[in-house]
Amino acid sequence: MPELPEVETTLRGVSPHVLGQRVREVIIRDKRMRWPIPDSIHELEGCRIDSGTRRAKYMLFSTSKGTLLLHLGMSGNLRVLPPDTPFKKHDHLAITLENGKQLRLHDPRRFGAALWIEGDPMQHALLRDLGPEPLGDDFTAAHLQAACKGKTAAIKQVIMDAHVVVGVGNIYASEALFLAGINPRQAAGKVTRPKLVKLVQAIRKVLAASIKMGGTTLRDFVNESGEPGYFKLTLRVYDREGEPCRVCKTNIKRIIQGQRSTFFCPTCQK
């Protein structure tokens, strides 16, 4: 699944090709996605794309008439191609620009989204209740401490809750907890303030590093230059069950939390 760093990398990759461009044509090839692509998305035609931003794993392309919201789902990607490039089977949406390029949304599993929002996009039902951005000023130890207070849920589950903080997917949660020296099974309400300070710093560090290296997924995501993201090659604990910890040489363990695999070092993470 494309996570926040992959989405940020995608946004940065396509933005130079689409920002400031007017939309000549919107082509809906198949409406069947997580929510049906609305006919109102044709309102884009004739509009100039003024800005491209990210909120959680949603990309927002704004115009004077409204905002195009895109989500890559579990297997989607965006590509900027010549309009005469043959369509692939799962190219669901194509947006032809005045510069002669075409932005295409490809999503084999159809869990992505392409929606048209009129008015303030941050008040849309998909966005208004989200927690702070992990790399933004609002994500602080004080915020995380308030979110954890009194909670018996495991700390890993709490930091993966998008109402607490967005974009901390399974890979990054395991990695951040390792850097902060926190056992992923520990009750959130029992994590000390100094540890939460370290955890906020660790979340920021692993996400920023992954963005810099172009994301984590090697199989399902390639960056705008056609090369895969290589952050996965630097992972400290994720997907390293049975391998020695890079710090203490203890074998990395794997457990299941919330139906997801969690990887941790039993020595470094107390």
Side-chain angles (χ1 to χ4, degrees):
M1 177 185 295
E3 297 287 358
L4 185 149
E6 284 86 1
V7 176
E8 179 68 25
T9 301
T10 297
L11 178 65
R12 294 182 184 186
V14 302
S15 287
H17 303 283
V18 303
L19 297 189
Q21 297 296 318
R22 288 195 180 276
V23 175
R24 287 182 176 173
E25 183 182 19
V26 174
I27 303 168
I28 302 174
R29 299 189 68 245
D30 193 334
K31 292 184 176 183
R32 297 173 298 166
M33 298 187 69
R34 186 174 182 184
W35 301 281
I37 300 176
D39 289 334
S40 59
I41 212 163
H42 285 286
E43 293 292 324
L44 262 174
E45 293 174 342
C47 291
R48 184 182 65 193
I49 300 176
D50 296 319
S51 66
T53 57
R54 179 191 53 74
R55 180 69 173 107
K57 293 196 289 185
Y58 298 97
M59 286 176 278
L60 305 169
F61 295 94
S62 299
T63 75
S64 60
K65 291 178 68 176
T67 301
L68 171 67
L69 177 149
L70 296 177
H71 191 284
L72 299 179
M74 298 183 70
S75 59
N77 61 58
L78 285 180
R79 291 290 180 268
V80 178
L81 302 166
D84 59 356
T85 303
F87 282 107
K88 295 182 179 179
K89 179 179 178 180
H90 297 292
D91 286 343
H92 302 303
L93 179 71
I95 298 170
T96 306
L97 305 167
E98 64 181 354
N99 60 4
K101 297 179 180 179
Q102 193 173 75
L103 181 68
R104 292 187 187 177
L105 175 61
H106 180 83
D107 186 5
R109 298 187 67 180
R110 303 178 190 275
F111 284 105
L115 302 174
W116 177 252
I117 302 173
E118 296 181 351
D120 182 2
M122 296 306 164
Q123 296 305 310
H124 190 275
L126 292 173
L127 305 178
R128 64 186 175 215
D129 295 324
L130 293 175
E133 290 286 330
L135 300 177
D137 294 338
D138 293 336
F139 182 52
T140 63
H143 167 80
L144 187 55
Q145 185 175 31
C148 290
K149 186 177 181 180
K151 281 191 168 64
T152 58
I155 182 64
K156 179 170 180 268
Q157 302 306 110
V158 171
I159 63 174
M160 289 181 63
D161 183 348
H163 295 96
V164 174
V165 58
V166 301
V168 184
N170 195 44
I171 294 172
Y172 305 105
S174 287
E175 291 293 299
L177 287 165
F178 173 79
L179 286 181
I182 299 171
N183 190 301
R185 297 171 292 191
Q186 186 171 1
K190 299 294 186 181
V191 181
T192 66
R193 172 63 180 253
K195 286 282 192 178
L196 291 177
V197 170
K198 290 183 178 180
L199 183 53
V200 168
Q201 294 171 344
I203 289 170
R204 291 177 179 274
K205 182 176 180 178
V206 297
L207 288 172
S210 188
I211 290 171
K212 184 176 181 180
M213 298 183 77
T216 298
T217 309
L218 294 178
R219 183 180 62 185
D220 294 328
F221 176 81
V222 291
N223 66 31
E224 68 276 7
S225 301
E227 299 295 330
Y230 286 102
F231 183 69
K232 188 170 184 178
L233 303 182
T234 70
L235 294 175
R236 297 166 178 86
V237 291
Y238 186 84
D239 204 22
R240 297 189 63 240
E241 181 184 12
E243 297 181 31
C245 172
R246 301 189 194 279
V247 175
C248 73
K249 307 306 180 184
T250 302
N251 286 349
I252 300 300
K253 288 189 175 182
R254 181 179 72 94
I255 59 174
I256 301 297
Q257 292 180 296
Q259 299 180 324
R260 305 291 297 276
S261 291
T262 296
F263 299 85
F264 71 103
C265 172
T267 299
C268 293
Q269 295 172 258
K270 298 294 188 180

